[in-house]
């Protein structure tokens, strides 16, 4: 390497590093624009997540092609070491890592050698995949080929340069580099001067491509190389990412209408997205041909924060790391209005089923962002699908979505003996019936069945009767924090009045809300889903069932019980106890279950254009040839019954709540 | 333009029952709401504000707790709320009520001339549909009842054209302003209040006018001024039909029972 070469390289190198640092600083400054959120707790746990999901790529390898990514990731991790040596060596030719000791250095070189080959193979597989076996959710744009090409060029240049040097006898550690050694033979018989020239050219290509790659990252979806590891570290430490409790006060933001109202972690989410499309593949809304695409929302937010963030930064060059001012003007609106904005219809499509968050390899939290954008539309603008107005008003005035008189709530009991807390004053368990279980005529039948089980079991239980109000789940998910807050505050006051500690719910929506949302009000309740209780009652012999021989029952996991709260085995165990067989399974089950379409407040809205989600799920259930669809959620029940009606299924396949199946076979 | 909207606080009638022994309304724990027709009247008032920049005043006669229904109007954009509340206004029938409301509007008119008075077609507790026309009569202005669409307003000529929904037909009528309009429910869908709107409403001061302000003859208002007296409230007795049902094994039994009934009532004849 000549002196001039070294000077030229040093200049390019320093310029590239400075430019890279400038870019990293820009990214950091953009993160700082967001609101503060504490994600620095449980650091050991976070470190574990970083190792498991970041370095271990646990969610990435959950899909077959993820293994390919795993190899690319680890080849980069290991190659980083020799690339640092390579870059410093470009300026100081005598520099190398041999000071670590011959054996460690030899190992490093051999790993780099092998991993470079692995990377080439993995890149070829990746390119083949996106050319010939491309999923719809993966885009095959310029970037999709440009980055793999850069990586391939890097690796090839590495081998060309090294093998040339090896054939010239310049590599002392060649016995550690099997791939290079075997390639070196290729140059036998070539003029040494030519080999030298080729080697130098390859070295320069490698150097320039490497430095270019470093600086191209922040401008491409390969920004995830920088952002996804921190994103795994800062991931939500709870299974369910509940929207933060809003201060409903004058002057406070009511939801999110500007991209800078997101927190820094939300913005990190945007940066961490690789557009791998796994969220889109599992989203029931995307999969039924509707506007919503979780990947699209995150991507639009990312472009939005970059565009708006740069404008804000330019307007206050001296105050680079401060959060955005409250009155910051946005050049690009967050919702509707440009290609860098989120589509409003997409926001209303979400069922908050959480499949996207379950699938995301880097733990992007989609649903709370969608809910917070809805909050702004509902609370600040009163801008929501018109059919929701009756829902909101009924919730506020009659404390239930049906708009039926609250004094009719307890009518579900009919002639059944139902102890009321107002009479008995105290009971071990409160059975929180929920609005569907109280007012929906079909769901009332399962409420009745469950009450019969409770009575048979002999445990101490009671109902709030007409004192119960809607839990507020749909209202909250639809962004109406105002009404949710009223309902939550009232219910919590009632719980406190009677000293309620343990609550049974039959509705997964009540379950999740009482368990995870009400916690934000400082009340810790032991919330039990009826499938958990029934399972325990059977196991403890408090109720006995007459086992039948039925292997034609399929179980549908409701999102809020399964994916959100991991109650997966209990309903299956109950069905096994009743039927003598484990239930049939749909292809999409347990934590990968496919939403019925009623969550996130969609229960109260008209279907959007596209296929109907409930119909899609019903077809999936019918594919198992089941004669009974067992559910553990009143909303899912409504959806399946509607789906079956569309299939013109006059009573052949039945939808039954697990409580009904148990009550039917219970030995009284 | 100045629009005055009259609203009434009513018990949520779907939740009211009648005590069969005393024949009185059971109102325990029954929430009060804005009379549904009046919510449409307020919305229509706010639409005059949106379209013509009208100033919207909402007024109500009722107990002090009726400020709640005025605040609902303020939450969606009304500019001012006035509650007419006094013990001597109590026990009023539709005649005495319209007397007080008309007097209040006349008083409002002195500081800010009133162009349009909006009322709901009727209330869900009394269902008389008399108060709106009563106000118009007392103020000696025209009345446009049962309106389901406002077609146009001519601000220069001071006139309004509306569509009225009658039993078998609709009619388009025009009137000079000021006028009194009662609205049907289908005239609009009331908007949903925003949270900042609710904050504004909570902070607003609602004026309360008693008879010391209106200075009406106590013989013409309240119970004294009401020729209508309620002598008895009762739920009409209705013979309920019988529901015959049967699924599965019970089905043949149910079908037989239905045929028996049809034969018994001689709707069918078995040969």
């Amino acid at each position: 390497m000549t002196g001039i070469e070294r000077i030229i390289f040093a200049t390019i190198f320093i310029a590239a590093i400075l430019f890279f640092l400038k870019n990293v600083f820009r990214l950091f400054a953009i993160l700082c624009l967001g609101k503060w959120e504490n994600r620095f707790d449980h650091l050991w746990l976070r470190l574990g997540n970083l190792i498991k999901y970041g370095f271990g790529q646990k969610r990435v390898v959950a899909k077959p092609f993820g293994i390919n990514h795993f190899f690319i990731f680890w080849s980069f991790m290991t190659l980083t070491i020799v690339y640092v040596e390579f870059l410093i060596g470009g300026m100081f030719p005598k520099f190398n890592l041999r000071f670590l000791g011959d054996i460690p250095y030899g190992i490093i070189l051999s790993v780099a050698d092998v991993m470079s080959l692995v990377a080439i193979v993995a890149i070829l597989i990746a390119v083949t995949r996106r050319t010939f076996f491309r999923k719809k959710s993966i885009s095959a744009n310029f970037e999709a080929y440009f980055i793999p090409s850069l990586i391939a060029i890097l690796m090839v240049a590495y081998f060309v340069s090294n093998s040339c040097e090896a054939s010239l006898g310049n590599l002392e550690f060649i016995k550690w580099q099997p791939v290079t050694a075997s390639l070196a033979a290729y140059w036998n018989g070539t003029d040494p001067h030519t080999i030298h020239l080729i080697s130098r050219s390859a070295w320069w290509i490698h150097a320039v491509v490497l430095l270019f790659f470093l600086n191209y990252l922040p401008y491409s979806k390969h920004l995830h190389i920088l952002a996804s590891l921190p994103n795994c570290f800062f991931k939500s430490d709870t299974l369910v990412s509940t929207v933060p409790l809003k201060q409903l006060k004058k002057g406070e933001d009511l939801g999110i209408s500007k991209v800078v109202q997101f927190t820094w972690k939300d913005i990190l989410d945007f940066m961490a997205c690789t557009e791998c499309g796994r969220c889109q593949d599992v989203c029931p809304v995307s999969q039924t041909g509707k506007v919503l695409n979780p990947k699209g929302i995150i991507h639009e937010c990312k472009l939005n924060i970059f565009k708006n963030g740069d404008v804000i930064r330019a307007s206050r060059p001296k105050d680079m790391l401060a959060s955005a001012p409250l009155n910051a003007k946005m050049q690009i609106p967050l919702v509707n209005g440009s290609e860098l904005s989120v589509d409003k219809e997409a926001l209303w499509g979400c069922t908050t089923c959480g499949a996207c968050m379950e699938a995301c390899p880097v733990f992007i939290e989609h649903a709370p962002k969608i809910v917070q954008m809805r909050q702004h539309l509902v609370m600040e603008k009163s801008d929501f699908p018109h059919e929701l107005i009756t829902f909101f008003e009924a919730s506020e005035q009659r404390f239930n979505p049906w708009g039926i008189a609250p004094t009719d709530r307890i009518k579900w009991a009919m002639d059944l003996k139902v102890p009321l807390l107002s009479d008995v004053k105290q009971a071990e368990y409160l059975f929180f019936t929920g609005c569907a279980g109280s007012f929906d005529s079909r769901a009332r039948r399962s409420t009745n069945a469950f009450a019969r089980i409770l009575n048979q079991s002999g445990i101490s239980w009671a109902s709030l009767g007409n004192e119960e109000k809607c839990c507020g789940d749909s209202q909250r998910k639809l962004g109406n924090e105002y009404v949710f807050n009223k309902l939550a505050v009232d219910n919590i006051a009632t719980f406190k009045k009677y000293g309620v500690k343990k609550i049974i719910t039959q509705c997964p929506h009540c379950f999740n809300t009482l368990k995870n949302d009400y916690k934000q009000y400082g009340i810790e309740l032991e919330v039990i889903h009826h499938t958990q209780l029934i399972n325990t009652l059977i196991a403890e012999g408090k109720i006995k069932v007459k086992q039948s021989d039925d292997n034609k029952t399929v179980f549908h996991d409701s999102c809020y019980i399964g994916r959100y709260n991991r109650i997966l085995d209990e309903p299956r165990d109950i069905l096994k106890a009743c039927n003598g067989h484990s239930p049939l399974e749909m292809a999409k089950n347990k934590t990968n279950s496919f939403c019925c379409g009623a969550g996130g407040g969609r229960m109260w809205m008209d279907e959007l254009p596209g296929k109907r989600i409930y119909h899609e799920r019903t077809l999936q259930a019918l594919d198992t040839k089941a004669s009974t669809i067992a559910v553990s959620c009143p909303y899912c029940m409504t959806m399946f019954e509607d789906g079956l009606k569309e299939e013109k299924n006059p009573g052949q396949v039945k939808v039954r709540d697990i409580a009904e199946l148990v009550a039917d076979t219970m030995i009284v | 333009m100045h629009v005055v909207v009259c609203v009434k606080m009513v018990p949520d009638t779907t939740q009211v029952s009648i005590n069969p022994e005393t024949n009185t309304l059971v109102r325990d724990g029954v929430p009060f709401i804005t009379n549904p027709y009046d919510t449409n009247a307020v919305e229509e008032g706010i639409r005059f504000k949106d379209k013509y920049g009208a100033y919207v005043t909402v007024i109500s006669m009722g107990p002090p707790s009726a400020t709640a229904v005025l605040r609902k109007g303020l939450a969606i954009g009304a500019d001012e709320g006035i509650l007419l509340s006094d013990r001597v206004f109590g026990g009023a029938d539709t005649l005495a009520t319209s007397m007080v409301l008309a007097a209040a509007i006349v008083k409002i008119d002195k500081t800010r001339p009133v162009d349009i008075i909006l009322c709901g077609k009727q209330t869900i507790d009394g269902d008389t549909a008399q108060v709106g026309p009563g106000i118009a009569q007392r103020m000696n202005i025209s009345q446009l009842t049962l309106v389901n669409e406002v077609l146009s307003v001519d601000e220069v000529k001071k006139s309004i054209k509306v569509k009225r929904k009658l039993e078998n037909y609709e009619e388009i009528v025009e009137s000079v302003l000021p006028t009194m309009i009662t609205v049907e429910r289908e005239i609009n869908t009331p908007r949903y209040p925003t949270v900042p709107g609710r904050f504004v409403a909570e902070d607003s001061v609602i004026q309360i006018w008693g008879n010391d302000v209106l200075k009406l003859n106590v013989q013409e208002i309240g119970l004294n001024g009401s020729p209508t007296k309620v002598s008895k409230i009762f739920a009409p007795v209705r013979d309920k039909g019988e529901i015959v049902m049967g699924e599965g094994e019970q089905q043949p039994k149910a079908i037989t029972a239905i045929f028996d009934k049809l034969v018994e009532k001689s709707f069918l004849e078995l040969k």
Side-chain angles (χ1 to χ4, degrees), chain A residues 536-544:
Chain A
T536 315
L537 292 175
I538 293 177
E540 289 176 352
K542 287 187 177 156
I543 53 167
K544 292 196 171 54

Side-chain angles (χ1 to χ4, degrees), chain A residues 248-251 254 378-382 384 389 392-393 396-399 403 405-407 445 480 482-483 486, chain B residues 12-15 28-34 72 189-200 202-203 247:
Chain A
L248 294 175
K249 280 198 303 208
K250 225 191 246 174
L254 302 166
V378 171
M379 292 196 288
E380 293 258 15
K381 295 272 175 270
S382 252
F384 45 79
I389 194 159
F392 286 148
E393 277 175 352
E396 204 174 339
Q397 231 158 59
R398 310 240 164 105
F399 320 121
T407 41
R445 276 164 35 205
N480 200 331
Y482 184 84
V483 171
K486 280 187 158 188
Chain B
D12 190 347
T13 46
T14 58
Q15 303 184 39
D28 282 347
V30 175
F32 284 93
I33 58 171
T34 309
K72 283 202 173 145
T189 308
R191 70 194 67 188
Y192 189 70
T194 64
V195 174
R198 293 178 197 254
F199 288 153
V200 169
E202 277 166 25
D203 290 349
E247 268 183 288

Side-chain angles (χ1 to χ4, degrees), chain B residues 214-262:
Chain B
L214 295 181
K215 296 188 174 58
L216 291 161
N217 177 354
V218 289
Q219 291 310 313
E220 287 178 359
I221 55 172
L223 202 57
N224 294 337
S226 300
T228 323
K229 301 273 185 275
V230 178
S231 56
K232 188 183 174 191
I233 296 175
F234 61 95
V237 185
R238 191 177 60 189
D239 285 333
K240 261 200 184 149
E242 184 190 350
I243 298 172
V244 182
M245 268 169 71
E247 268 183 288
E249 286 172 15
Q250 298 299 314
Q251 205 172 35
K253 236 189 211 174
I255 293 170
T256 317
I258 291 169
F259 273 94
D260 287 349
K261 266 272 184 285
L262 291 173

Side-chain angles (χ1 to χ4, degrees), chain A residues 594-614:
Chain A
F594 190 86
C595 181
C596 70
R602 296 249 13 127
M603 175 82 178
W604 316 105
M605 298 165 76
D606 301 339
E607 267 284 347
L608 291 164
K611 282 190 278 185
R612 295 179 177 87
I613 298 174
Y614 62 84

Side-chain angles (χ1 to χ4, degrees), chain A residues 336-398:
Chain A
N336 276 9
S338 85
E339 277 181 9
L340 314 185
S341 311
V342 178
D343 191 304
K344 205 193 290 174
E345 187 181 321
L347 291 181
W348 290 116
C350 179
T351 67
T352 68
C353 76
C356 49
M357 300 190 281
E358 188 74 25
C360 181
V362 297
F363 294 90
I364 292 170
E365 295 152 31
H366 309 69
K369 295 180 183 44
I370 292 175
V371 169
Q372 290 180 82
M373 287 188 263
R374 286 178 174 182
Q375 283 175 353
H376 170 78
L377 294 173
V378 171
M379 292 196 288
E380 293 258 15
K381 295 272 175 270
S382 252
D383 176 7
F384 45 79
H386 65 93
E387 64 268 26
L388 285 178
I389 194 159
T390 36
F391 166 73
F392 286 148
E393 277 175 352
S395 308
E396 204 174 339
Q397 231 158 59
R398 310 240 164 105

